[in-house]
Amino acid sequence: MKHIRNFCIIAHIDHGKSTLADRLLEYTHTIGERDMMNQVLDDMDLEREKGITIKSHAIQIDYVYKGEEYTLNLIDTPGHVDFSYEVSRALAACEGALLLVDASQGIQAQTISNLYLAIENNLEIIPVINKIDMDGAMIPEVKDQMMDLIGCKEEEILLASGKTGIGIEEILTAIIERIPPPKGTEEAPLQALIFDSVFNSFRGIIIYYKILNGVIKKGDKVQFVSTGTEYFADEVGVLKLKMTPKNEVKCGDVGYIITGIKTAKDVKVGDTLTLANNPGEMIKGFVEVKPMVFAGIFPVNTDEFAELRECMEKLQLNDASLIFELETSQALGFGFRCGFLGLLHMEIIQERLEREFNQTVITTVPNVSFNAYTTRGEKIIVNNPVEMPDAVKIDRIEEPFIKAQIITLPDYIGNIMTLCLGKRGILINQSYLTPTRVELSFEMPLTEIVFDFYDKLKSQTRGYASFDYSPIGMREADIVKMDILLNNEKVDALSALIHRSRSQDFGRKLCEKLKELLPRQQFLIVIQAAIGAKIIARENISAMRKDVTAKCYGGDISRKRKLLEKQKEGKKRMRQIGNVEIPQEAFLAVLKLD
């Protein structure tokens, strides 16, 4: 065991984690030249297209140092704030972390929050400054920032370039010398922490784990501690570029197991794997995920609901931060209420359902979860506008607040202040990390961030601001339920929970947008936004008219009037029985309102 090292690479988005991982694999000849490509560990098409890491990826490297052979288990993690749960799971399977900082950008918000995650897990941290070959590299300034942040000595900071391969040998040496080997004994009962799983249509569910104590052998009867189910280990092994079968995987190692499980409910990320005949205890301290944003996902055809349910379960295996439960809607039929970590996460899930499972889905307006207290003193958790009690019965409503950390250049302080105060934010603190970096802390309602806050922040600061947030609890707020009515009928999929001060403006924009998107009918369509019984905005889509008087030329006016009256009667009857089909673009338009 003293020759095993488990480590991961953490950094802010786009600081070069995947590129550095490529160089480490290339330098240690883990991957042949033929298989080498950029972002070699990112195996999803989406990751390559967007240039981001969505999933953590584990791979084993063999490296000879001072004549002894070492096994290094590397986990490459995502950098975006929406995938921080992936990072926390990767950290649970490691003893050390490479903290990467881009030499041209310096420390950013996600760097700090990932560092705190690593410190909470008691990991050994190796600071690395990446991209030192770039023209804009500010090596001395970034060294000072890192020494302030971590409290390390200057000689402990490594300089590297993921692109050209400078400093790779020094990094490997530091991993072996500074990161402690895993603790645990092979004689103890088996305890393996499950940190990821994936569905394979031929082999069933493949589980990735890290063994803290004991040994797992091919053919052993294993047990999942939380569900109590038992299976035989058909195949165990380690994760090279492809899965490599072994007869046994020992204490301290990261590996995979195939048991032919078909039901997704049996496997939980964070569960403990042990032997059925000699069970170990549950591993403590694994955090349950807390979704930030809720939205409904519905199949376009209601017949495809059962198929969508299977696909969601398979996707949840691979993305443990997705949480869903059943929901019905009058407008959309059966579907799921899903919890996501953020808007990018929601977009990725929708894309993955379309690509990996060929499911076209409709997503409703995202919202956060509120606490409503009734006049009788009951507390109702509202994840969905439909669950909101009547306004008469409500005593007060609380909404979730977050603490937002924004790191930027001093030139953009004014723009950020305007943006955050416009989103009902409260400035808590402003401090200069260095003369050219300022950190602003705001307390803000999560509702205001859900929609387009991140995009606006990037455009207001030309991309020079980094943003990170953490929840700080619930606070009382004046939240109202806004309904959209089409010809006096509510469309529950377009309802939204919104702050009263923003409702009129939002309602007007939404009605205008729907007027553009709904197709014209033979009868008048009235679009209204309402809070309770009060209408706050209205738009009309006029009926398509046929010229019924075209055949009357000359003659008495009463003949024309008779035809027009007849048409009016027909329109009235049609409006009573006609219903308005809502195209899918209308549901998505709500997300893109300015």
Side-chain angles (χ1 to χ4, degrees):
M1 269 182 63
K2 66 177 198 294
H3 290 119
I4 296 178
R5 299 287 183 275
N6 298 318
F7 72 100
C8 61
I9 306 178
I10 53 174
H12 188 81
I13 189 165
D14 211 19
H15 279 210
K17 296 178 291 299
S18 298
T19 317
L20 186 76
D22 289 352
R23 291 298 84 73
L24 287 168
L25 299 177
E26 201 174 53
Y27 185 83
T28 54
H29 305 296
T30 305
I31 290 182
E33 281 179 30
R34 275 178 56 191
D35 296 330
M36 197 60 215
M37 55 183 170
N38 287 342
Q39 287 178 267
V40 71
L41 291 178
D42 293 350
D43 48 13
M44 239 187 276
D45 296 344
L46 264 176
E47 293 179 312
R48 298 186 168 283
E49 274 169 36
K50 295 184 181 279
I52 56 175
T53 303
I54 295 169
K55 288 286 302 164
S56 300
H57 297 277
I59 188 165
Q60 195 173 82
I61 300 172
D62 294 323
Y63 182 60
V64 178
Y65 174 67
K66 293 188 176 169
E68 292 186 21
E69 194 164 302
Y70 286 85
T71 301
L72 314 178
N73 290 309
L74 148 71
I75 301 180
D76 177 27
T77 65
H80 196 281
V81 62
D82 279 12
F83 304 116
S84 54
Y85 188 59
E86 285 285 328
V87 182
S88 73
R89 299 202 332 246
L91 293 170
C94 293
E95 279 84 35
L98 296 181
L99 180 71
L100 236 59
V101 177
D102 183 332
S104 58
Q105 297 188 42
I107 283 174
Q108 291 186 289
Q110 208 52 35
T111 317
I112 297 176
S113 69
N114 282 344
L115 171 72
Y116 289 154
L117 274 178
I119 291 173
E120 276 170 32
N121 282 316
N122 297 327
L123 299 196
E124 178 63 40
I125 290 157
I126 300 176
V128 179
I129 297 180
N130 194 20
K131 305 192 187 181
I132 57 167
D133 55 328
M134 284 179 72
D135 297 342
M138 315 170 290
I139 298 169
E141 293 93 320
V142 178
K143 270 189 176 174
D144 292 344
Q145 287 178 24
M146 288 185 90
M147 286 173 352
D148 285 349
L149 179 68
I150 309 173
C152 59
K153 301 188 178 76
E154 189 176 345
E155 57 272 15
E156 288 175 7
I157 299 174
L158 305 175
L159 301 180
S161 158
K163 202 169 182 183
T164 56
I166 304 169
I168 297 297
E169 196 174 340
E170 288 80 358
I171 289 176
L172 286 165
T173 306
I175 289 167
I176 289 168
E177 289 182 351
R178 295 194 210 170
I179 294 177
K183 299 180 179 72
T185 58
E186 288 180 21
E187 289 73 39
L190 175 68
Q191 275 184 308
L193 174 72
I194 299 174
F195 67 87
D196 206 354
S197 56
V198 58
F199 184 80
N200 181 316
S201 45
F202 302 108
R203 317 279 323 252
I205 296 166
I206 301 170
I207 296 162
Y208 300 146
Y209 55 81
K210 178 198 173 189
I211 300 186
L212 301 190
N213 280 313
V215 178
I216 190 166
K217 294 181 181 148
K218 187 177 174 174
D220 277 348
K221 192 175 190 183
V222 293
Q223 181 185 22
F224 295 95
V225 176
S226 71
T227 55
T229 48
E230 296 179 358
Y231 288 94
F232 284 100
D234 299 339
E235 182 179 312
V236 296
V238 293
L239 300 157
K240 295 287 175 110
L241 185 59
K242 296 192 169 54
M243 293 185 291
T244 312
K246 291 257 177 103
N247 285 328
E248 57 177 23
V249 182
K250 293 184 177 173
C251 180
D253 234 334
V254 173
Y256 73 91
I257 178 171
I258 298 174
T259 58
I261 305 176
K262 290 285 187 285
T263 45
K265 291 188 182 71
D266 286 355
V267 181
K268 272 193 182 148
V269 167
D271 194 1
T272 306
L273 198 63
T274 183
L275 293 178
N277 54 9
N278 183 10
E281 290 176 4
M282 182 89 180
I283 299 165
K284 303 240 180 341
F286 199 81
V287 192
E288 276 288 307
V289 60
K290 289 194 188 76
M292 292 286 185
V293 177
F294 295 88
I297 285 186
F298 294 86
V300 176
N301 299 332
T302 40
D303 319 344
E304 293 171 1
F305 170 71
E307 201 180 322
L308 178 65
R309 179 191 225 144
E310 275 179 35
C311 299
M312 294 286 282
E313 285 176 354
K314 287 174 189 171
L315 192 55
Q316 192 180 31
L317 279 174
N318 198 234
D319 185 346
S321 47
L322 169 68
I323 284 175
F324 62 89
E325 57 187 36
L326 281 176
E327 179 184 52
T328 51
S329 148
Q330 292 163 354
L332 300 171
F334 286 104
F336 297 99
R337 188 87 200 150
C338 303
F340 306 97
L341 295 181
L343 275 195
L344 176 69
H345 186 207
M346 176 172 140
E347 191 186 318
I348 296 288
I349 292 288
Q350 205 177 338
E351 282 268 329
R352 286 184 71 181
L353 279 169
E354 283 183 16
R355 289 185 185 203
E356 294 173 27
F357 303 103
N358 294 328
Q359 294 287 319
T360 26
V361 292
I362 295 175
T363 318
T364 62
V365 190
N367 63 331
V368 301
S369 121
F370 299 93
N371 288 348
Y373 292 90
T374 60
T375 43
R376 291 178 173 183
E378 297 167 347
K379 174 183 169 186
I380 301 171
I381 295 175
V382 182
N383 289 333
N384 181 352
V386 181
E387 296 166 4
M388 184 71 125
D390 291 339
V392 225
K393 296 179 184 168
I394 296 175
D395 177 37
R396 65 181 196 281
I397 295 176
E398 292 180 346
E399 64 174 344
F401 260 68
I402 57 158
K403 182 180 180 204
Q405 263 183 315
I406 300 171
I407 298 180
T408 182
L409 306 177
D411 319 359
Y412 301 117
I413 292 179
N415 293 359
I416 291 177
M417 292 278 200
T418 316
L419 174 67
C420 293
L421 298 175
K423 297 269 188 193
R424 302 192 285 133
I426 308 158
L427 181 68
I428 300 298
N429 190 9
Q430 173 181 342
S431 60
Y432 280 83
L433 302 171
T434 67
T436 55
R437 307 301 293 269
V438 62
E439 179 185 17
L440 301 166
S441 297
F442 288 91
E443 286 185 357
M444 297 173 76
L446 184 59
T447 342
E448 300 288 338
I449 282 180
V450 165
F451 277 102
D452 51 1
F453 177 78
Y454 197 63
D455 301 341
K456 282 191 175 164
L457 179 70
K458 285 289 180 199
S459 56
Q460 296 277 5
T461 57
R462 298 189 188 155
Y464 278 109
S466 61
F467 167 71
D468 184 45
Y469 62 83
S470 53
I472 52 172
M474 309 292 278
R475 295 188 187 174
E476 200 170 326
D478 189 6
I479 299 290
V480 289
K481 176 183 172 187
M482 191 184 78
D483 291 308
I484 295 291
L485 311 173
L486 293 182
N487 285 350
N488 295 329
E489 286 200 9
K490 286 184 186 176
V491 183
D492 58 355
L494 289 173
S495 301
L497 296 171
I498 191 163
H499 196 266
R500 196 183 292 274
S501 61
R502 302 280 302 277
S503 60
Q504 195 134 11
D505 188 36
F506 184 72
R508 199 171 57 248
K509 282 181 179 160
L510 189 49
C511 288
E512 284 167 10
K513 194 79 180 172
L514 286 171
K515 185 180 177 180
E516 286 170 30
L517 291 165
L518 292 179
R520 282 176 71 184
Q521 304 285 353
Q522 295 280 347
F523 51 89
L524 172 80
I525 302 176
V526 179
I527 305 169
Q528 294 167 313
I531 293 174
K534 185 184 174 195
I535 305 294
I536 53 170
R538 168 174 172 148
E539 291 286 338
N540 291 344
I541 300 179
S542 50
M544 291 195 283
R545 268 192 62 189
K546 184 179 173 188
D547 191 358
V548 286
T549 57
K551 60 186 177 194
C552 303
Y553 42 92
D556 193 13
I557 184 73
S558 59
R559 288 177 62 202
K560 286 187 178 176
R561 199 165 287 151
K562 183 179 153 194
L563 289 167
L564 288 170
E565 285 297 322
K566 199 171 163 190
Q567 184 186 30
K568 193 170 161 189
E569 282 298 313
K571 295 271 183 223
K572 194 173 169 186
R573 201 163 57 245
M574 211 188 261
R575 187 176 159 188
Q576 283 166 354
I577 57 168
N579 59 354
V580 187
E581 283 286 308
I582 304 174
Q584 174 155 2
E585 294 81 65
F587 295 109
L588 299 175
V590 189
L591 313 184
K592 298 188 171 65
L593 284 180
D594 295 334

